[in-house]
């Protein structure tokens, strides 16, 4: 039965990884995301929900400097495509509105930004990806995003972060897990591909509490993609200030790989995993510093999974 399950997973890894999924979906073409900064803010920063943002957050730590430095949407897309072609021999592109909350504006304004980004080499763009918060989704914005699905694959990425309201309160999220559930209900019969983003390693959450994320994700069939991150402590964040005063335990790379080996068998095998870990700019990273390149971290995790014979969804059989 486990061999049959392995055969359903794209590529040679023991999990349904995004890279293999893209190659299969787009007939072997090399598809890369182009990150676009639309100049959005966040209701947890501008006072609508709070000030200062989530305690772990410094938006710049996960945003390429070229996106931060170029105010023009067109310029960001063109340069992003150029880099992907030169560095990765990219054939096609997904436009990814990533920094801050990319549905946090009137719908007509969102349409203007999305239209501009998608108008640049539309013959080479296959998708639109929009990162947001569950409390910044409504039916009008869902309808806008769905209007692009006749030309592009569109995924809506929402920050779940934790399934526990106590954790969401401690990190000043300004959003409850119930609001995520409400947003998922609106997306139940949507044409959009739904992605949720989680963070593992909050020091007050036990191993058992974190493994329970899988059960919660599994119960929503509308969730197609997930991004798993380990907790980073970065400069410019509230948590960064607290960590410097009183450090707390964070994942080492071997410990995190071990945790993923426990988690993956619990995750529905049809869910495509876009990321197994996050990576912030080194100059902003306080901890944990694994002192490895992204490719080296990926290799370590993949090798750990392979050596242990881990198969996504095997515990659900």
């Amino acid at each position: 039965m486990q061999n049959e399950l392995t055969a359903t997973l794209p590529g040679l890894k023991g999990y349904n990884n995004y890279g293999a999924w893209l190659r299969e979906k787009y007939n072997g073409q090399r598809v890369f995301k182009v990150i676009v900064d639309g100049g959005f803010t966040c209701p947890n920063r501008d006072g609508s929900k709070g000030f200062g943002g989530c305690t772990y957050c410094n938006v710049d730590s996960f945003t390429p400097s070229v996106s931060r430095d170029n105010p023009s949407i067109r310029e960001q897309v063109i340069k992003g495509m150029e880099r992907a072609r030169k560095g990765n021999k990219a054939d096609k592109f997904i436009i990814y509105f990533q920094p801050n909350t990319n549905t946090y504006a009137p719908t007509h304004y969102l349409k203007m930004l999305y239209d501009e980004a998608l108008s640049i080499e539309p013959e080479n763009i296959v998708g639109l990806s929009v990162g947001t918060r569950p409390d910044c989704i409504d039916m009008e914005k869902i309808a806008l995003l769905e209007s692009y699905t006749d030309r592009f694959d569109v995924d809506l990425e929402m920050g779940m972060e934790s399934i526990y309201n106590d954790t969401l309160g401690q990190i000043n999220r300004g959003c409850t897990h119930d609001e995520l559930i409400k947003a998922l209900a609106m997306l139940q019969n949507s044409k959009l591909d739904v992605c949720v983003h989680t963070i593992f390693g909050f020091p007050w959450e036990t191993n058992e509490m974190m493994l329970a994320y899988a059960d919660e994700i599994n119960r929503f069939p509308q969730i197609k993609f997930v991004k798993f991150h380990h907790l980073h402590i970065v400069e410019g964040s509230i948590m960064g200030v607290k960590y410097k005063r009183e450090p707390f335990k964070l994942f080492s790379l071997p410990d995190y790989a071990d945790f993923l080996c426990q988690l993956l068998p619990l995750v529905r095998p049809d869910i495509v995993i876009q990321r197994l870990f996050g990576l912030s700019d080194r100059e902003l990273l306080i901890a944990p510093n694994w002192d490895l390149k992204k490719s080296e971290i990926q290799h370590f995790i993949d090798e750990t999974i392979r050596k242990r014979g881990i198969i996504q969804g095997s515990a659900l059989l």
Side-chain angles (χ1 to χ4, degrees):
M1 181 66 76
Q2 194 171 74
N3 289 337
E4 292 176 11
L5 184 57
T6 306
T8 67
L9 303 177
L12 300 175
K13 299 179 181 181
Y15 59 95
N16 197 352
N17 71 96
Y18 189 51
W21 182 87
L22 285 173
R23 288 191 296 274
E24 186 175 278
K25 180 174 179 62
Y26 298 110
N27 300 313
Q29 295 182 99
R30 298 176 66 83
V31 179
F32 282 81
K33 286 187 175 181
V34 174
I35 294 177
V36 176
D37 186 341
F40 294 96
T41 184
C42 170
N44 207 18
R45 288 180 174 274
D46 70 1
S48 297
K49 285 286 188 81
F51 294 98
C54 303
T55 61
Y56 58 82
C57 185
N58 175 344
V59 173
D60 286 350
S61 66
F62 295 98
T63 308
S65 59
V66 68
S67 298
R68 298 195 297 265
D69 297 339
N70 294 331
S72 161
I73 298 290
R74 170 170 287 273
E75 194 174 0
Q76 289 182 58
V77 172
I78 291 172
K79 288 192 173 183
M81 287 180 170
E82 287 176 356
R83 286 196 312 277
R85 285 190 173 114
K86 289 179 181 178
N88 303 103
K89 299 182 180 179
D91 300 308
K92 301 292 181 180
F93 306 94
I94 296 169
I95 302 301
Y96 182 22
F97 281 84
Q98 180 195 39
N100 280 302
T101 305
N102 294 274
T103 60
Y104 189 45
T107 305
H108 67 86
Y109 181 76
L110 297 176
K111 185 177 188 306
M112 181 181 69
L113 293 187
Y114 301 158
D115 284 353
E116 181 180 2
L118 293 169
S119 69
I120 302 161
E121 292 191 40
E123 69 279 8
N124 291 318
I125 295 173
V126 297
L128 170 66
S129 180
V130 176
T132 189
R133 292 164 55 97
D135 56 351
C136 293
I137 292 297
D138 56 44
M139 294 307 298
E140 184 180 22
K141 290 168 184 175
I142 290 171
L144 170 64
L145 290 170
E146 287 182 332
S147 72
Y148 296 105
T149 58
D150 61 337
R151 292 163 288 160
F152 308 101
D153 292 318
V154 184
D155 75 80
L156 181 65
E157 178 184 322
M158 295 185 292
M160 172 184 279
E161 316 312 5
S162 174
I163 66 173
Y164 302 106
N165 283 330
D166 178 65
T167 292
L168 298 175
Q170 289 197 60
I171 64 175
N172 192 41
R173 180 70 176 150
C175 179
T176 66
H177 187 60
D178 300 318
E179 287 172 288
L180 175 69
I181 293 172
K182 180 180 177 182
L184 287 170
M186 286 190 282
L187 292 158
Q188 189 166 6
N189 298 307
S190 176
K191 299 175 184 177
L192 304 179
D193 294 328
V194 177
C195 177
V196 294
H197 174 282
T198 69
I199 299 175
F200 297 113
F202 294 115
W204 52 84
E205 290 190 3
T206 65
N207 194 70
E208 290 72 23
M209 289 172 70
M210 291 186 289
L211 291 176
Y213 284 35
D215 290 337
E216 184 67 357
I217 291 169
N218 288 344
R219 75 185 186 95
F220 296 102
Q222 58 270 53
I223 294 178
K224 181 170 185 173
F225 302 121
V226 293
K227 287 184 176 180
F228 296 143
H229 279 203
H230 62 289
L231 178 63
H232 284 95
I233 309 299
V234 295
E235 297 286 358
S237 69
I238 297 169
M239 196 172 282
V241 174
K242 292 181 178 179
Y243 183 86
K244 286 181 178 180
R245 291 175 180 167
E246 191 173 348
F248 46 84
K249 183 176 174 57
L250 297 166
F251 275 118
S252 67
L253 179 53
D255 285 347
Y256 187 61
D258 179 71
F259 170 74
L260 290 173
C261 286
Q262 298 174 62
L263 179 73
L264 288 172
L266 304 173
V267 177
R268 270 189 1 240
D270 62 287
I271 293 175
V272 180
I273 298 175
Q274 291 197 9
R275 288 184 189 170
L276 286 174
F277 63 95
L279 202 64
S280 71
D281 288 348
R282 288 198 177 195
E283 61 267 25
L284 293 174
L285 180 64
I286 299 172
N289 185 1
W290 294 341
D291 200 27
L292 293 171
K293 297 177 182 177
K294 181 179 180 180
S295 60
E296 294 170 330
I297 296 172
Q298 187 71 58
H299 179 74
F300 182 92
I301 291 173
D302 284 345
E303 276 297 286
T304 303
I305 291 169
R306 183 188 65 80
K307 289 176 180 177
R308 297 191 188 182
I310 300 301
I311 303 297
Q312 180 180 335
S314 59
L316 304 176
L317 297 175

